[in-house]
Amino acid sequence: MSNIIIFRGKAATGKTFITNFLSKKFNITVIRKDDIYDSLSMYNLEHSVKNSASYDIIAKIIQTNIDTGSDLIVDISLAHNPYLKQFLSKIDFNNSQLFQFFCICSNNEEWNKRIEKRLVNPLPNQLFKSVKEAEEHYNKLDSEPLENEVIIDSIDDISVILESIYDVLKF
């Protein structure tokens, strides 16, 4: 049985930091939506095409891991709940355990600093041109944690974050 571990949330909420740590700790491959999006950027495609293709590719990779009994950590944004539900509906999670984590940064000042830091040398997947633009974007979304998601606050010390994750994963 596969363990599929999904981390989602707004930009700059610690998903990549946390998934890097877990990947090393448990020796589980991590796949990131941003890595796929950035790779597709060399093909001069529209944002919506790159975004849609990235999620389709990730859904296929997750399904392959489930079908082969392999564990996988997934780092995706999907802060908008309807998009998350649409994404998850593409995958048959039978023969797997799904663990879902919703990453937040409860300190708005810290989150703003993280966004500003990204603006200095943005990657292709980082479309915001200002903190204000990021705030306006996320304010339009239905981005509350779902009932089955564990909230991870990246403002907490990493030991607290990891303890709450380990309590859920129990491997």
Side-chain angles (χ1 to χ4, degrees):
M1 180 173 286
S2 298
N3 293 302
I4 306 299
I5 309 161
I6 297 178
F7 288 82
R8 74 172 186 112
K10 299 176 187 177
T13 56
K15 296 180 301 294
T16 300
F17 176 77
I18 294 166
T19 56
N20 280 344
F21 193 92
L22 291 175
S23 178
K24 290 175 188 171
K25 168 82 174 159
F26 292 116
N27 196 27
I28 299 174
T29 300
V30 61
I31 185 162
R32 291 184 177 72
K33 182 261 184 181
D34 290 347
D35 291 344
I36 295 170
Y37 185 99
D38 290 350
S39 296
L40 292 172
S41 292
M42 74 173 97
Y43 296 105
N44 199 26
L45 302 168
E46 290 181 25
H47 164 70
S48 61
V49 173
K50 289 184 282 196
N51 214 37
S52 180
S54 296
Y55 286 116
D56 287 346
I57 291 166
I58 290 174
K60 181 65 175 165
I61 292 170
I62 291 171
Q63 192 64 64
T64 299
N65 277 263
I66 291 170
D67 293 346
T68 60
S70 303
D71 296 339
L72 185 65
I73 299 170
V74 182
D75 171 348
I76 54 177
S77 51
L78 285 176
H80 188 48
N81 289 341
Y83 293 164
L84 173 68
K85 291 174 183 174
Q86 178 184 7
F87 170 75
L88 293 175
S89 74
K90 298 177 182 182
I91 304 162
D92 177 2
F93 285 101
N94 288 327
N95 300 317
S96 70
Q97 276 193 284
L98 176 61
F99 300 95
Q100 291 180 252
F101 296 91
F102 186 78
C103 296
I104 65 168
C105 179
S106 63
N107 181 320
N108 202 46
E109 186 177 311
E110 176 61 27
W111 184 72
N112 288 343
K113 286 180 193 176
R114 293 175 186 178
I115 294 291
E116 286 173 358
K117 186 177 178 183
R118 289 172 168 229
L119 294 172
V120 174
N121 190 20
L123 294 170
N125 67 73
Q126 297 165 345
L127 304 178
F128 303 121
K129 304 297 183 220
S130 68
V131 170
K132 182 180 181 196
E133 188 178 318
E135 288 172 336
E136 288 172 352
H137 171 76
Y138 287 116
N139 284 338
K140 295 180 209 172
L141 304 182
D142 172 9
S143 60
E144 294 300 313
L146 300 176
E147 190 175 305
N148 59 335
E149 292 179 310
V150 176
I151 298 171
I152 301 296
D153 190 346
S154 62
I155 252 351
D156 291 339
D157 184 78
I158 188 64
S159 63
V160 172
I161 292 170
L162 294 174
E163 185 177 320
S164 64
I165 293 170
Y166 296 161
D167 283 348
V168 172
L169 298 181
K170 297 181 181 165
F171 1 122

